[in-house]
Amino acid sequence: MTKVLHLNSADPEPAAIREGASVIRRGGLVAFPTETVYGLGADVLDAAAVQRVFTAKGRPATNPLIVHVATVDEAKRLAAGWPNDADRLANKFWPGPLTLVLEKSNRVPGIVTAGGNTVAIRMPAHPVAIALVRESGRPLAAPSANASNTVSPTSAEHVTKTLAGRIDLVLDGGPCPGGVESTVFDLTTQPPRILRPGPVTAEQLKAIVGDLSVERVALDADEILPSPGTSERHYAPHATVEAYGSLERLERRFQQLLQNEIRTGVLLRASRTYLFKSLAPVEPPRNAVLSSISDNPAEYAMRLYAALHELDDLNVEYILIDVPPSADEWDAVRDRLRRAASVWEES
Ligand code: TXA
Ligand code: MG
């Protein structure tokens, strides 16, 4: 049985946090909100508990986990060294959605890092996440709280959709304010490289570290491979996602799918929903679901996974999306869409 505890996200009830921490200390699994997506936490120092995380998610043992800390000192104990860049980045962006990859110390069990000698660390900004890590008295290994190869969870309901019965507790703090996973930034290479674009953008990182590279290998949030390029299954909805820069192209595809009686969802930025008039002059045709999302990159990010979950729940077979602009503030969203999409046409 998976228990769900509701709590106040801004000022979490101490009793709920204590209950979560006691589950963690017994080696159990607790899902909790972060400012990005819900995480599935286990005591990082308890290899058996960490193994349960992999089992619950159906996650390949080759995909390492992010460790969540409440203090910079805790991060330093998990890493073998603490380079100047780490110090400056932590000062600037922690607590917040930036994950740093560093050489690992002996304290971190090999299962957490998938046998590798680097460890990914971040200090979350969400009051519930911070309180849980503090009260547990140890760092938490926490991937996103969803079964592997499904859309990441931005609400407690999304968590129970794929993990009910497989984990001990969900701390329900409502929807996550950020909506896409943290930026993963590898400081073990020269220059450092972005492994996963996220809320902290390339330009913001450049301002601190100078030179950096952006890794173009298909790093999947749930399926990352230490040996890049071997697999490219994306964390995607059940539906087939297709992304088009050209609305004419999207419209033709929509008509074609409906002619074939295929249930189709369309997810457009609000400024482009004038197309809805042409797609559905009166009311949405049979087999069509039309929905819109913000033109603002931060609001788009916050809503994206929920929109995909909703369309999946409506059993559409296809989801057609318009491609957002190629710009720094859209990088994280474009990255997630691109991973989810089987067709990607810029224009
Ligand atoms: O915002 C987030 O990062 C959320 C919340 C819960 O903190 N967590 C998250 O975890 O997205 P997960 O497991 O879904 O994604 C972690 C990513 C994966 O792409 C994984 O391969 C990568 O971080 N990663 C973890 N450790 C790594 C390491 N030592 N070197 C390179 N990549 C690593
Ligand atoms: Mg994930």
Side-chain angles (χ1 to χ4, degrees):
M1 263 299 287
T2 299
K3 180 170 176 181
V4 179
L5 274 179
H6 298 269
L7 69 194
N8 179 330
S9 65
D11 184 16
E13 291 78 355
I17 297 297
R18 277 197 300 273
E19 185 166 341
S22 82
V23 172
I24 294 286
R25 284 195 298 262
R26 287 200 307 270
L29 306 186
V30 178
F32 59 95
T34 80
E35 74 280 26
T36 59
V37 301
Y38 273 72
L40 178 60
D43 177 355
V44 78
L45 305 176
D46 179 344
V50 175
Q51 176 56 53
R52 278 178 212 117
V53 171
F54 282 92
T55 307
K57 279 179 63 79
R59 181 176 177 112
T62 50
N63 190 358
L65 306 181
I66 295 175
V67 183
H68 295 66
V69 297
T71 65
V72 170
D73 280 342
E74 190 70 72
K76 289 181 182 170
R77 284 196 288 275
L78 298 169
W82 188 253
N84 281 339
D85 278 348
D87 216 46
R88 300 170 66 210
L89 291 164
N91 279 330
K92 174 89 180 160
F93 295 111
W94 284 2
L98 176 66
T99 297
L100 299 177
V101 175
L102 297 158
E103 307 291 344
K104 84 184 233 346
S105 78
N106 294 334
R107 276 185 83 220
V108 183
I111 186 172
V112 174
T113 63
N117 44 31
T118 63
V119 61
I121 308 173
R122 87 175 187 97
M123 188 193 294
H126 196 290
V128 173
I130 285 286
L132 181 66
V133 178
R134 280 228 177 89
E135 184 71 25
S136 301
R138 59 209 72 184
L140 299 186
S144 55
N146 57 307
S148 269
N149 295 323
T150 65
V151 177
S152 289
T154 55
S155 73
E157 293 72 31
H158 297 160
V159 174
T160 50
K161 236 165 108 174
T162 64
L163 295 180
R166 306 178 139 255
I167 65 178
D168 300 292
L169 180 65
V170 181
L171 296 179
D172 180 354
C176 300
V180 296
E181 300 86 345
S182 63
T183 307
V184 179
F185 195 41
D186 185 354
L187 292 180
T188 68
T189 58
Q190 246 339 306
R193 51 182 187 162
I194 295 176
L195 298 179
R196 181 174 70 183
V200 176
T201 68
E203 280 174 21
Q204 290 177 298
L205 293 171
K206 259 186 209 147
I208 305 285
V209 304
D211 198 21
L212 60 75
S213 72
V214 181
E215 191 80 351
R216 288 291 172 199
V217 296
L219 283 186
D220 182 315
D222 261 304
E223 245 196 303
I224 289 273
L225 322 143
S227 49
T230 31
S231 158
E232 229 193 88
R233 167 73 191 140
H234 316 94
Y235 54 120
H238 297 297
T240 300
V241 176
E242 299 183 353
Y244 297 99
S246 151
L247 291 187
E248 293 73 34
R249 185 77 185 82
L250 189 150
E251 178 173 3
R252 259 184 287 138
R253 182 66 175 137
F254 174 79
Q255 303 299 357
Q256 181 191 35
L257 288 164
L258 288 195
Q259 264 154 35
N260 290 297
E261 304 265 312
I262 294 172
R263 202 163 154 71
T264 302
V266 177
L267 180 63
L268 296 182
R269 280 174 294 145
S271 63
R272 316 193 99 194
T273 50
Y274 58 83
L275 179 66
F276 288 169
K277 286 207 179 69
S278 141
L279 299 180
V282 186
E283 58 181 68
R286 206 161 66 89
N287 287 326
V289 182
L290 304 179
S291 67
S292 73
I293 187 162
S294 175
D295 280 277
N296 172 286
E299 284 169 28
Y300 190 115
M302 182 174 71
R303 284 278 310 145
L304 173 62
Y305 291 150
L308 295 178
H309 276 284
E310 280 157 25
L311 288 168
D312 252 355
D313 293 345
L314 292 166
N315 295 315
V316 299
E317 281 182 60
Y318 280 78
I319 299 173
L320 308 183
I321 297 186
D322 67 301
V323 175
S326 174
D328 192 57
E329 69 273 22
W330 283 101
D331 268 357
V333 156
R334 282 169 55 90
D335 172 78
R336 302 309 186 276
L337 289 177
R338 202 192 278 264
R339 291 167 198 280
S342 57
V343 171
W344 181 270
E345 291 181 12
E346 288 282 341
S347 62

